[in-house]
Amino acid sequence: SQKIEQNSEALNIQEGKTATLTCNYTNYSPAYLQWYRQDPGRGPVFLLLIRENEKEKRKERLKVTFDTTLKQSLFHITASQPADSATYLCARTTSNQFYFGTGTSLTVIP
Amino acid sequence: SQTIHQWPATLVQPVGSPLSLECTVEGTSNPNLYWYRQAAGRGLQLLFYSVGIGQISSEVPQNLSASRPQDRQFILSSKKLLLSDSGFYLCAWRWGAEAFFGQGTRLTVV
């Protein structure tokens, strides 16, 4: 089956460091992957989309990479801040559906 | 601009009681609409999606049903709730490759 997987372990980092989250996919080749942020008790919010022909996409302190050989997307937050603490989800889409990974909880320690 | 409304925000229902959660979208027409459920500490599970009025696709067999009586209205229902129906229910709509979520309904079945 087609799967999208994230490291379910929580990630704790020191403020100012770079946080790196991983999203792996198996048994398919997505045309693009997306990353969302979810705060407790709220719906996910779209952050970035990266297409298969793009190696890297940036938005302010956020950077996403897409390695079709490794079947992996990495999500980086540089100069992390306590306000970046949240759960980050990657997602793949088909023609009609969105499928989400289980998310990685990030805590930035002041 | 487009907005999505979902209500109620929280709901406590006894086992065996019916359920009706409503979601409406404003500022767009003929959107793809989605219902997701998120159990505590778990990922987003796609329950239903709809590409048009009266068109409902179910992802997993369950105690729930969905209906789309109007273009921008999506309803999640159950005739008799089970304890296992507890969770965080999210409605979403699609714009291009992005999903936009409502604020969610926290359902507790007691």
Side-chain angles (χ1 to χ4, degrees):
Chain A
S1 62
Q2 301 173 352
K3 292 185 178 180
I4 187 162
E5 297 176 334
Q6 296 181 255
N7 186 349
S8 60
E9 292 184 13
L11 178 64
N12 299 323
I13 64 167
Q14 208 68 35
E15 182 177 4
K17 301 293 184 182
T18 296
T20 299
L21 287 67
T22 304
C23 177
N24 296 296
Y25 58 92
T26 57
N27 299 330
Y28 70 103
S29 298
Y32 45 84
L33 288 171
Q34 305 162 46
W35 285 88
Y36 291 76
R37 168 181 173 146
Q38 186 176 21
D39 291 288
R42 308 293 294 270
V45 175
F46 173 81
L47 296 175
L48 282 169
L49 176 151
I50 186 165
R51 302 182 188 283
E52 61 178 343
N53 60 352
E54 297 175 315
K55 295 291 185 184
E56 181 180 296
K57 180 74 73 72
R58 291 177 183 263
K59 179 182 178 182
E60 297 174 350
R61 294 184 297 110
L62 308 180
K63 184 178 82 171
V64 173
T65 62
F66 196 172
D67 189 325
T68 55
T69 301
L70 294 178
K71 292 185 179 295
Q72 182 181 82
S73 175
L74 298 179
F75 177 81
H76 306 272
I77 305 175
T78 58
S80 59
Q81 305 167 1
D84 296 327
S85 299
T87 296
Y88 292 86
L89 306 164
C90 68
R92 67 175 180 94
T93 52
T94 65
S95 55
N96 290 317
Q97 300 101 317
F98 290 85
Y99 294 100
F100 289 83
T102 53
T104 298
S105 175
L106 171 67
T107 300
V108 180
I109 303 166
Chain B
S1 64
Q2 300 90 352
T3 56
I4 181 167
H5 302 280
Q6 187 182 342
W7 66 94
T10 60
L11 193 59
V12 179
Q13 293 282 101
V15 169
S17 65
L19 173 73
S20 181
L21 301 181
E22 188 164 342
C23 171
T24 60
V25 180
E26 295 179 356
T28 187
S29 60
N30 197 31
N32 281 14
L33 296 172
Y34 306 85
W35 278 111
Y36 286 87
R37 176 171 60 200
Q38 189 173 35
R42 305 284 296 276
L44 289 166
Q45 180 186 32
L46 178 61
L47 301 176
F48 301 95
Y49 69 93
S50 171
V51 299
I53 295 175
Q55 300 178 62
I56 308 295
S57 296
S58 174
E59 282 290 300
V60 294
Q62 58 211 316
N63 186 43
L64 302 168
S65 62
S67 62
R68 186 167 176 176
Q70 300 180 42
D71 181 44
R72 288 169 288 179
Q73 184 184 32
F74 204 21
I75 298 172
L76 184 69
S77 304
S78 174
K79 292 182 179 179
K80 290 185 177 182
L81 284 169
L82 305 172
L83 287 174
S84 58
D85 292 323
S86 293
F88 189 47
Y89 288 83
L90 287 156
C91 178
W93 71 282
R94 180 173 187 162
W95 175 256
E98 300 174 25
F100 294 89
F101 287 84
Q103 290 303 300
T105 296
R106 174 74 60 192
L107 171 66
T108 303
V109 182
V110 296

